[in-house]
Amino acid sequence: MKTRAEREHDRRTLRQKISVRKILNILFSRMVIIGVLILLQLAFLMALLVLLEGQFVYTYPILVVLSAAVSVWVVAGEKNPAYKLTWVLLITVMPVFGGLFYLMFGNQRTPDGLKARVEQFYESTIRQVGRDPACQARLAGENENLGTESAYIENVSGFPVWDGTDGEYYPIGEAFFEALKEELKKAEKFIFLEYFILQEGLMWDSVLDILKKKAAAGVEVRVLYDDVGTLNKLPGNYRSTLEKAGIRTAVFNPFRPHLNMAMNYRDHRKITVIDGNVGFCGGINLADEYINAYERFGHWKDTAVLLRGKAVWNLTLMFLMMWQFTTTVENDIDRYRPTDDRPGRGFVQPFGDSPLDNKNVSENAYMQILNRANKYVYMTTPYLILDNEMVTALTIAAQSGIDVRIITPAIPDKWYVHIVTRSFYAQLIRAGVRIYEYTPGFIHAKMFCSDDEVAIVGTANMDYRSFYLHFECGVVFYQQEMARSVKEDILQTLQVCRPVTLEEMESLPLPRRLLAKLLRLVAPLM
């Protein structure tokens, strides 16, 4: 029988071993290893620059001419003006090496091979949509403005509008979680999941338990997740773990220790498809903070929608397109078509958005709603980092007498992003836009609704990364009860929000305002 002192010594030794193990796990984690390799590349780059400095008298005129030429190239390009302004400013501040930095880090031109792959997979999949022109005509006949919005999304993204679809709205992650589990248990043919973040814990472990049972029962189960989104949340060999359980798995754009702009292209979508007849979409990833199983930034407010019927086909095609792009394995698409036709009222249009085609479908869909609103436009977003086009659209809507309201978080997940978000408040408030912050915590929902007639629930934040660098998706509801459900939820959410005033923004300490302006200059690069 050990003495009390011996037992205390054993406990202390065990705690020390656990601490050492945790430190070792962190030091040898994939994120740290990749970070160290990137730092080594940066160090090599800096050493090269120092070497060039030794030949300064010869290299100086060449590098200055290169920077000037790059500045002209940037200004004459087709990129967003804010993005161009940021890089021209950086090149001006660093006239010797600024041009080199842009060529290495700022050139977002899609490589020809990658572009060809995207076009190939897009064409091979999207031509099998089987759109119903009569549906589009009916929507346009009932409401010309909504018909124009729908036509734009279809013409640019390739995803048509559908009738015959029912929808359910989930105003909080916990409700979505319960519905997701119930629907997964009903799967008989196949399950597709595509998410930016998976993380071991109550939510994902519960879902995974269902997926394993379904795979064992012969249901086809596929999981696609983003490598950066899960970088510090899943073990490095997690794909093989899922494969051993009978779950076909793909990892989007594996993160490599390269100083390469292609690493910025991330799959930010959240899609579940079950048997082709049931689909989920929204802002909710499969991790515990999304269902408030543990608290990170106060109460986490997020939303999702469930679709039943013909419009699920668009979500299915989005998943198969991304799967084909990631694995280069072609799919027999016809076997995944929906068989359910629901008597839903109104029209539904799920759509995808890609950073590789220079078509900002999500941002333009938002702006079309703003441009065609008659009474109100309400929106929620965790980040508000806007380009000039979106600022103009919000300003014109508010100055035209439209009730424009935006809800953002009171408790941020990234302090520097929140500073940039708040830097837009004063300008928008002066134009008549009403800004609110969600006081219980962090609002992650990405929603637009207007005039009780149209609503979008999806994955695209109102920031540069979502509009220009991420693969995103969303669902537009036209003349549906869903539009009113979104409005009612936003109005209820406003009850626990605080309005932001112009006086508050103008009375911020000078250092904070200067920091906001500085960060806003580089906002397009965040």
Side-chain angles (χ1 to χ4, degrees), residues 89 118 210 233 237-238 444 499 501 516 519 524:
L89 177 63
V118 172
I210 299 172
K233 297 175 174 62
N237 62 344
Y238 200 69
H444 190 256
T501 65
L519 290 174

Side-chain angles (χ1 to χ4, degrees), residues 77-85 152 358 360 362-371 379 384-398 404 406 424 427-428 431 433 448 462-464 467-468 520 524:
E78 298 181 359
K79 299 297 182 184
N80 182 271
Y83 183 82
K84 293 193 287 187
L85 176 63
Y152 165 77
N358 295 319
N360 301 327
S362 298
E363 182 180 26
N364 292 337
Y366 289 164
M367 288 195 293
Q368 289 222 7
I369 291 177
L370 284 163
N371 294 338
M379 62 207 80
L384 192 70
I385 304 177
L386 309 175
D387 57 20
N388 186 68
E389 290 81 356
M390 181 59 79
V391 170
T392 300
L394 289 163
T395 297
I396 291 174
V404 181
I406 305 174
F424 286 90
Q427 181 180 3
L428 295 174
V433 177
F448 258 64
M462 293 179 70
D463 67 0
Y464 285 93
F467 291 154
Y468 295 99
R520 185 162 166 176

Side-chain angles (χ1 to χ4, degrees), residues 261-335:
M261 278 301 298
M263 288 296 103
N264 269 321
Y265 296 137
R266 307 316 320 170
D267 183 1
H268 197 242
R269 297 174 179 176
K270 293 94 179 169
I271 295 173
T272 297
V273 176
I274 302 166
D275 293 344
N277 294 318
V278 174
F280 290 91
C281 183
I284 302 172
N285 285 297
L286 303 183
D288 283 357
E289 64 262 36
Y290 293 84
I291 57 171
N292 291 290
Y294 80 96
E295 184 176 307
R296 288 189 68 195
F297 311 105
H299 184 266
W300 192 291
K301 163 75 173 173
D302 218 329
T303 61
V305 292
L306 176 151
L307 305 180
R308 301 180 192 274
K310 294 193 290 187
V312 177
W313 182 229
N314 288 15
L315 293 176
T316 304
L317 288 176
M318 279 180 233
F319 175 89
L320 292 173
M321 196 180 301
M322 191 64 79
W323 183 274
Q324 197 165 308
F325 172 71
T326 303
T327 65
T328 70
V329 176
E330 296 199 12
N331 302 281
D332 178 13
I333 289 176
D334 282 337
R335 59 194 288 254

Side-chain angles (χ1 to χ4, degrees), residues 296-297 300 382-383 409 411-418 442 444:
R296 288 189 68 195
F297 311 105
W300 192 291
Y383 316 119
I411 301 176
D413 64 337
K414 304 175 183 71
W415 65 268
Y416 53 92
V417 174
H418 193 57
F442 187 69
H444 190 256

